[in-house]
């Protein structure tokens, strides 16, 4: 049995509740801290702390069934650029089936498994917001550089999953906002080799994401937005 998720309480008197999936990662941890500072009671799930494997259907089901909702804010911040010891492909000749399957499992199938069990944890009438961190490189319309086949494909798939889930969730939860989010290029050891990208700290990325979520309405549900709240082309 996976360990119980950790809960961090925010300021006294606040009733809003948040769930962060992938809470042990750099941006996931920063999101937890930022939400807590704002007064949210934050429930965290991660592989490191809870044995939560987003690619394992049974573990996802057990963890989600073990939570008590409703949550008005849910953030899915799990993801990998490439399997450990690998890098994103620069050419077709570098595509490896096993590596591609792993990237798709973590970045697309994993969020889908979480979303499968999420409606039961959202309020039926009050506003709620679900943000799934994807990436601008998952945009087909914005792809002018090529490369990164697995990561691009996985994030494009995740975007479609989020958009489709938003339609279904809205049928019973009219005030739910379900969106894909591009947090920008976050400073990590993996992004050190990409000097042309403007990078932000995990703390700044978390602040930007929460600010965008604050501004979204149910009419925005199903959209794909960047860290400034601007729509990203599919």
């Amino acid at each position: 049995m996976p360990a119980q998720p950790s809960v961090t309480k925010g300021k006294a008197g606040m009733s809003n509740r948040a769930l962060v999936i992938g809470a042990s990662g750099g941006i996931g941890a920063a999101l937890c801290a930022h939400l807590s500072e704002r007064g949210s009671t934050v429930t965290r799930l991660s592989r490191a702390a809870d044995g939560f494997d987003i690619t394992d259907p049974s573990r996802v089901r057990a963890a989600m069934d073990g939570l008590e909702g409703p949550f008005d804010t849910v953030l899915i911040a799990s993801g990998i650029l490439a399997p450990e010891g690998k890098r994103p492909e620069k050419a077709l000749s570098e595509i490896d089936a096993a590596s591609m399957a792993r990237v798709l499992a973590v970045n697309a199938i994993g969020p889908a498994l979480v979303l499968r069990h999420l409606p039961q944890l959202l309020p039926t009438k009050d506003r709620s917001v679900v943000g799934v961190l994807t990436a601008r490189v998952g945009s087909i319309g914005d792809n002018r550089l090529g490369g990164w086949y697995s990561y691009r494909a996985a994030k494009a798939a995740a975007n479609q999953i989020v958009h489709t889930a938003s339609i279904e969730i809205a049928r019973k939860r009219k005030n739910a906002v379900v969106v894909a989010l591009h947090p920008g290029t976050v400073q990590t050891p993996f992004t050190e080799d990409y000097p042309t990208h403007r990078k932000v700290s995990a703390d700044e990325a978390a602040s930007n994401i929460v600010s965008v979520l604050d501004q979204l309405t149910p009419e925005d549900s199903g959209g794909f937005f960047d860290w400034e709240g601007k729509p990203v082309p599919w």
Side-chain angles (χ1 to χ4, degrees), residues 4-5 18 58 85 93 99 125 143:
Q4 290 296 316
S58 62
S93 60
S99 294
K125 294 182 179 179
N143 182 1

Side-chain angles (χ1 to χ4, degrees), residues 50 59 75 80 85 90 92 127-128 141-142 176 182 186 191-193 195:
D50 314 299
R59 286 183 178 269
L75 286 160
I80 58 171
K90 294 183 179 180
L92 284 167
R127 179 184 183 272
S128 61
D142 193 55
H182 167 60
V186 182
T191 61
E192 290 177 355
D193 294 337

Side-chain angles (χ1 to χ4, degrees), residues 2 6 16 21 26 33 51 59 68 90 122 145 162 185 194 207 228:
S6 58
N16 50 320
I21 307 291
R59 286 183 178 269
E68 183 178 350
K90 294 183 179 180
L122 299 177
L145 297 176
V162 172
T185 302
Y194 305 108
S207 177
E228 293 182 304

Side-chain angles (χ1 to χ4, degrees), residues 125-144:
K125 294 182 179 179
D126 294 334
R127 179 184 183 272
S128 61
V129 60
V130 179
V132 181
L133 272 57
T134 65
R136 186 181 294 274
V137 296
S139 165
I140 295 173
D142 193 55
N143 182 1
R144 296 176 179 83

